[in-house]
């Protein structure tokens, strides 16, 4: 294995998020970055501790009574209603005067818990469809994310399932914690694991690509994340890996970057979802065969790449409402391709000052993450080294175009799943997910459609809709209980709540924040989880 030194520029890009990785060969399939972390001496990620007395249940009978339900199907809120859960499954939902299932069928006892939901709102557990337990960028400072910190921030915002795209900490760690979460042994969301396909970093032939896919599947991977353009994977290897994954019923996602493949290209090959957005404008290019890059554009120079990509992505593409625009949407829907646009990670660069000074950073952002969020040419996603007024104006135009496409795609029947891409560019776990929901609302989604993207659409993406994504009898007891109506104001979902004026007290007050997060019938006090996070951050700052 090649020795990697801290002053190696290529190594810094790997630290920064597995893009432009250095030459680390011989790793067990699914363990490329984890092997590299061990090689350079950065401490491995800790295992999550047993949950002990954190969370209650699952119970023989859990009853949530007199609650308003936003069920995730797109139907309007209804209630008051009573939901009855046995262990980890919903067994009854009854409304109004007939909300007496538990009275007629359950005698109560030591293993029965009743939650009074009067005046509160019950939603399906949220699904973050683009998640990184460890983004890798903090390793630049010799430290990985504390997994307890990430897990509690996430659960504290009602996120009960995460689609871990890349498995940067290694398939061993991810699958081990997936099993522990499924067994209710840890305070953590459910993990759905998609390791990063390594391309030429580890593999040389299509046959080796097929073997790699079979191996990670056997080890517990449920999907594969590709970044063909970043890893310069030859097309024959890429196709072979996709074919093998499809034969094993594995889901496939693709992160685009430069011009070798577009969103339509990968959808036609059988890829299930596109992460972020950069393959979309290329798929609808007009007025030439290549994108009109600046003449001084160099893909490996991140500042120029970021500015070049974002200044020119939409400059030579089809316009909203055009024939090509609608043809692209129609074909993606016909191919059952899902968009995970991560709008916030793009759109928040419209105002870097506000992003940098978000009110939650002081109490909820680890100091090593704040350092890693700072612009740095060696860190992925931190290319805003000289981010000007004009750069922000260009970003506004690009974000507007992307939001228009995503809304039109949704209106035509396309599936859009909410994903945060937290851990990069000041996008914090939990908070970043709520930011994404606000962007979907800005794009034109009805609040009920926003909740769908955060729940049922994510479940459909992962073929888990029989168990997750909506509040229906027979499904898993994954739920979010909150005192305010998020349909009228998504800001009440933030862990910091929402500030509003109280006319009775003549003072500003904070309302909202998730009260309870329920996963597999286990009930967590979400506000206590966030108290724990604040303590972890304060402890790190005191070192």
């Amino acid at each position: 294995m090649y020795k990697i030194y801290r002053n190696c520029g290529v190594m810094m890009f790997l630290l920064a998020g597995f893009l432009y990785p250095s030459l680390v060969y011989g790793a067990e399939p699914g363990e490329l970055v984890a092997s590299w972390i061990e090689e350079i001496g950065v401490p491995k990620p800790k295992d999550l501790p047993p949950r002990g007395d954190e969370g209650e249940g699952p119970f023989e009978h859990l009853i949530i009574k007199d609650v308003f339900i936003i069920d995730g199907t797109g139907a309007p809120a209804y209630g008051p209603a009573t939901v009855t859960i046995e262990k980890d499954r919903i067994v009854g939902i009854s409304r109004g005067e007939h909300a007496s299932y538990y009275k007629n069928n359950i005698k109560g006892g030591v293993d029965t818990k009743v939650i009074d939901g009067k005046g509160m709102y019950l939603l399906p557990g949220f699904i973050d469809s683009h998640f990184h337990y460890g983004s890798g960028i903090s390793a630049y400072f010799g430290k990985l994310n504390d997994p307890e910190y990430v897990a509690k921030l996430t659960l504290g915002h009602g996120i009960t399932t995460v689609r871990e795209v890349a498995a940067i900490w290694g398939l061993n760690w991810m699958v081990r914690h997936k099993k522990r979460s499924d067994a209710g042994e840890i305070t953590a969301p459910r993990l759905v694991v998609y390791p990063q396909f390594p391309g030429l970093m580890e593999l040389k032939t299509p046959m080796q690509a097929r073997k790699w896919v079979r191996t990670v599947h056997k080890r517990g991977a449920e999907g594969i994340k590709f970044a063909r353009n970043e890893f310069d994977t030859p097309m024959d290897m890429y196709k072979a890996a996709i074919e093998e994954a499809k034969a094993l019923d594995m889901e496939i996602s693709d992160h685009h970057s430069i011009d070798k493949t577009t969103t339509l290209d990968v959808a036609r090959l059988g890829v299930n979802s596109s992460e972020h957005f950069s393959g979309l404008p290329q798929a609808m290019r007009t007025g030439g065969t290549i994108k009109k890059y600046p003449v001084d554009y160099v893909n490996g120079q991140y500042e120029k790449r970021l500015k070049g990509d974002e200044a020119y992505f939409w400059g030579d593409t089809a316009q909203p409402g055009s024939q090509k625009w609608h043809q692209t949407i129609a074909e993606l829907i016909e191919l059952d391709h899902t968009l995970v646009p991560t709008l916030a990670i793009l759109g928040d660069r419209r105002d870097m000052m506000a992003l940098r000074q978000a009110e939650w950073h002081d109490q909820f952002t680890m100091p090593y993450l704040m350092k890693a969020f700072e612009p740095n040419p060696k860190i992925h996603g931190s290319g805003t080294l000289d981010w000007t007024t004009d750069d922000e104006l260009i970003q506004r135009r690009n974000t507007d175009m992307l939001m228009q496409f995503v809304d039109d795609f949704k209106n035509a029947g396309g599936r859009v799943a909410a994903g945060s891409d937290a851990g990069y560019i000041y996008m914090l776990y939990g908070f970043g997910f709520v930011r994404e929901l606000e962007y979907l609302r800005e794009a034109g989604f009805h609040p009920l459609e926003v909740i769908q993207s955060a729940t049922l659409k994510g479940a459909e993406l992962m073929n888990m809709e029989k168990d997750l994504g909506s509040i229906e009898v027979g499904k898993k007891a994954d739920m979010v209980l909150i005192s305010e109506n998020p349909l009228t104001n998504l800001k009440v979902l933030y862990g910091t709540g929402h500030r509003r004026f109280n006319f009775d007290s003549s003072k500003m007050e904070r309302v909202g924040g998730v009260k309870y997060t329920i996963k597999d019938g286990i009930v967590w006090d979400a506000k206590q989880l966030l108290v724990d996070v604040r303590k972890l951050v304060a402890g790190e700052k005191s070192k």
Side-chain angles (χ1 to χ4, degrees):
M1 184 179 289
Y2 287 86
K3 180 67 177 176
I4 307 173
Y5 297 93
R6 286 186 180 274
N7 63 351
C8 172
V10 178
M11 180 278 289
M12 296 304 185
F13 277 110
L14 179 55
L15 257 172
F18 64 84
L19 301 181
Y20 306 103
S22 77
L23 299 177
V24 184
Y25 295 100
E28 185 179 8
E31 304 296 330
L32 178 64
V33 181
S35 296
W36 165 81
I37 290 171
E38 183 177 1
E39 176 75 10
I40 67 168
V42 176
K44 292 180 178 180
K46 299 181 293 185
D47 274 9
L48 280 162
R51 73 177 173 98
D53 60 358
E54 292 181 339
E56 299 180 88
F59 300 91
E60 284 294 326
H61 305 291
L62 171 63
I63 299 105
I64 305 170
K65 66 175 186 175
D66 300 328
V67 70
F68 295 110
I69 297 176
I70 304 168
D71 65 13
T73 66
Y78 65 88
T82 293
V83 178
T84 305
I85 297 153
E86 294 181 357
K87 296 189 183 298
D88 67 339
R89 295 280 173 177
I90 301 170
V91 298
I93 302 174
S94 48
R95 307 189 189 194
E97 297 177 344
H98 305 290
S100 56
Y101 177 93
Y102 76 97
K103 293 179 182 177
N104 297 331
N105 295 276
I106 300 169
K107 296 180 179 179
V110 293
D111 204 27
T112 297
K113 180 178 178 66
V114 179
I115 297 174
D116 186 355
K118 187 175 182 179
M120 302 181 74
Y121 291 82
L122 189 69
L123 294 84
F126 296 135
I127 297 172
D128 191 335
S129 293
H130 192 106
F131 188 88
H132 303 292
Y133 245 103
S135 62
I137 62 175
S138 61
Y140 182 74
F141 301 97
K143 191 177 185 68
L144 296 176
N145 281 338
D146 179 348
E148 182 181 3
Y149 162 76
V150 174
K152 287 185 173 179
L153 254 183
T154 303
L155 273 182
H157 282 85
I159 301 165
T160 55
T161 300
V162 298
R163 181 172 170 251
E164 167 60 54
V165 283
I168 297 170
W169 285 350
L171 196 53
N172 282 329
W173 193 96
M174 294 298 168
V175 172
R176 183 167 69 251
H177 284 79
K178 170 187 170 56
K179 292 177 179 177
R180 294 180 69 203
S181 176
D182 289 348
E185 297 173 359
I186 54 178
T187 298
R190 179 181 295 99
L191 269 165
V192 183
V193 184
Y194 288 42
Q196 177 71 53
F197 185 75
L200 291 174
M201 292 307 306
E202 286 185 350
L203 312 170
K204 298 299 181 185
T205 68
M207 185 177 296
Q208 290 177 347
R210 290 180 182 276
K211 183 178 180 181
W212 185 93
V213 172
R214 291 195 298 270
T215 301
V216 296
H217 177 260
K218 186 176 182 179
R219 294 182 59 214
E222 293 148 283
I224 305 290
K225 181 187 179 183
F226 288 93
R228 174 181 177 250
N229 296 335
E230 298 290 358
F231 286 88
D232 204 25
T233 304
M235 182 56 78
D236 59 349
M237 186 187 296
Y238 184 62
K239 287 182 177 179
I242 290 173
E243 288 174 1
E244 196 68 30
K246 300 299 284 186
L248 295 168
D249 290 326
M250 300 176 77
E251 298 299 307
I252 307 166
S253 74
D254 196 295
H255 168 134
H256 302 282
S257 179
I258 54 176
D259 257 350
K260 292 185 179 178
T261 50
T262 72
T263 301
L264 278 177
D265 292 332
V266 301
R268 290 163 180 161
L269 291 173
V271 170
N272 301 99
S273 69
S274 287
E275 313 301 308
H276 313 305
F277 69 96
S278 57
L280 285 171
Q282 290 94 317
M284 299 184 290
R285 183 177 298 116
T286 59
T289 59
I290 62 171
K291 186 164 67 174
K292 304 301 188 294
Y293 288 104
V295 293
D296 62 346
Y297 177 94
V298 180
N299 188 42
Q301 295 176 357
Y302 198 79
E303 172 82 2
K304 287 184 178 180
R305 175 185 164 197
L306 187 65
K307 290 196 175 193
D309 277 0
E310 294 179 357
Y312 290 87
F313 263 142
W314 296 92
D316 56 356
T317 195
Q319 294 301 298
S322 66
Q323 183 179 16
K324 195 163 191 176
W325 180 279
H326 287 299
Q327 285 175 342
T328 303
I329 287 173
E331 185 173 357
L332 289 173
I333 292 172
E334 184 179 358
L335 293 167
D336 195 26
H337 194 73
T338 302
L339 298 184
V340 187
T342 63
L343 293 168
I345 205 76
L346 168 71
D348 270 358
R349 291 200 290 266
R350 299 180 296 184
D351 188 347
M352 285 299 297
M353 186 183 299
L355 179 61
R356 192 169 56 245
Q357 297 177 348
E359 66 176 0
W360 45 80
H361 287 316
D362 182 53
Q363 293 189 6
F364 290 101
T365 304
M366 283 290 189
Y368 53 78
L369 269 180
M370 282 303 288
K371 289 180 181 178
F373 287 155
E374 282 291 295
N376 187 322
K378 296 183 175 66
I379 293 182
H380 172 60
S382 297
T384 54
L385 307 181
D386 182 20
W387 204 242
T388 68
T389 300
D390 283 357
D391 291 323
E392 291 192 348
L393 292 174
I394 290 168
Q395 201 75 353
R396 289 176 188 276
R397 182 194 69 192
N398 291 340
T399 304
D400 287 347
M401 288 284 283
L402 176 58
M403 289 193 296
Q404 182 68 63
F405 186 91
V406 170
D407 192 46
D408 287 351
F409 177 77
K410 176 264 300 177
N411 288 339
R415 183 184 302 110
V416 178
S420 69
D421 200 16
Y424 294 100
I425 320 178
Y426 298 99
M427 196 61 55
L428 191 60
Y429 300 95
F431 292 95
F433 185 77
V434 182
R435 291 291 297 145
E436 184 69 10
L437 303 190
E438 289 194 290
Y439 270 92
L440 291 172
R441 181 73 181 107
E442 182 182 348
F445 284 46
H446 186 280
L448 288 168
E449 293 174 324
V450 173
I451 299 303
Q452 269 193 321
S453 288
T455 56
L456 187 58
K457 298 304 179 182
E460 290 173 355
L461 168 62
M462 297 180 288
N463 287 321
M464 300 177 76
E465 68 273 17
K466 290 183 179 179
D467 287 323
L468 304 175
S470 59
I471 298 177
E472 298 178 85
V473 171
K475 288 198 173 186
K476 286 270 193 180
D478 279 26
M479 301 176 185
V480 179
L481 190 62
I482 184 169
S483 60
E484 299 286 323
N485 182 359
L487 297 179
T488 62
N489 181 14
L490 292 166
K491 292 186 185 298
V492 300
L493 294 172
Y494 283 119
T496 47
H498 169 64
R499 295 182 75 236
R500 72 183 179 197
F501 189 79
N502 185 319
F503 284 90
D504 292 330
S505 66
S506 296
K507 294 180 181 180
M508 292 296 294
E509 64 181 3
R510 283 192 184 269
V511 297
V514 174
K515 183 173 179 62
Y516 293 116
T517 299
I518 304 170
K519 172 190 161 287
D520 288 328
I522 300 171
V523 182
W524 278 279
D525 182 333
K527 294 184 182 295
Q528 182 59 50
L529 293 176
L530 296 184
V531 169
D532 294 347
V533 170
R534 289 197 293 269
K535 290 179 180 178
L536 289 170
V537 172
E540 187 67 27
K541 286 182 175 181
S542 70
K543 292 180 181 178

